[in-house]
Amino acid sequence: MKDDKAVELFQKILAKSRDRAIKWEATAQDGIYIASLTPELQLKVWPYTAIDAEGEQTGPPSVDLRDGKGKLLVEMSYRIDGISPDELQEINYVAKRIALNLDDKMDAAIKKLDELVGDSDLPF
Amino acid sequence: MLQKLVEFLRDNWGNVASVIGVGLSLFSLIFARRASVAAREAREAVLRRNLAQDIADAGTVAADVYNFVDSARYDSAITFCTQLQTKTVYLMERHKDRLGDLPAQKLTSVLAQLEVIQKVLVKLARNAGPPNTGANDRLLESCRAVRLTYTEQHALAARSVEGDEK
């Protein structure tokens, strides 16, 4: 499917997410992240594209734009020409990283690991 | 002197009456405007108080949702979650002009959170077994975040009402 406007919107969301400009939030369900742009516009990242007849999640992650009450406005998935599964995986990962504050947590873990002393650190 | 004043009034009584009339009209216009401004301010203060009350009511329901989830009573939590969604939409619409951009944006986030919470609760209510620890923690964390948002917004609204009272 061809939708240039949706591709432009998706690329903007990806770029702003990479810049940490979008404040993604975690939700009650693993892999779903939300961000409110204005009181009337919100973004949602899903860990899948669709749910099949058996209730199984299928496809790479997807992103959608909704209005303030949660009504679906635009769906951005790999089915649109110009949006790749890799980019969708990236946005899912970046959203998770922001929502769960993973950078700070990894920094804290790295700092703690640096402080740990092992046998090879002993001077004798 | 007095005679001249009487003559002046006799000759120009129409003009003098007009000037006095205009003065009285201006006087009553100013008072009417001040009364209207005061009435508008009083109405706004009442609406701000209503906003604080509506947020407090929603906050109570948010606390119920959290407590039911915490005690694994998912069916009850679903009912209160639905109620909270309704209350949130109601207060967003009713107080559209009074809510600032940031509080409105936070309530939009709350609505999105509630939608996912609802979905997870329905899934949990259908499954007989208990949820895994990670899923339960995420659900509780999300419910806690919703409750805290209402607490925060209520504090802001209450502060605004207190400002009116000073």
Side-chain angles (χ1 to χ4, degrees), chain A residues 59-77:
Chain A
S62 58
V63 183
D64 58 44
L65 177 72
R66 290 169 183 257
D67 74 3
K69 313 280 178 316
K71 188 181 160 199
L72 179 64
L73 302 173
V74 184
E75 207 174 349
M76 289 157 275
S77 72

Side-chain angles (χ1 to χ4, degrees), chain A residues 25-26 36 39 42 46 69, chain B residues 93 105 108-109 112-113 119 138:
Chain A
E25 292 173 38
S36 178
Q42 52 172 292
W46 300 82
K69 313 280 178 316
Chain B
E93 281 304 314
Q105 209 165 317
T108 303
S109 281
Q113 290 282 3
K119 211 171 275 181
R138 267 192 303 275

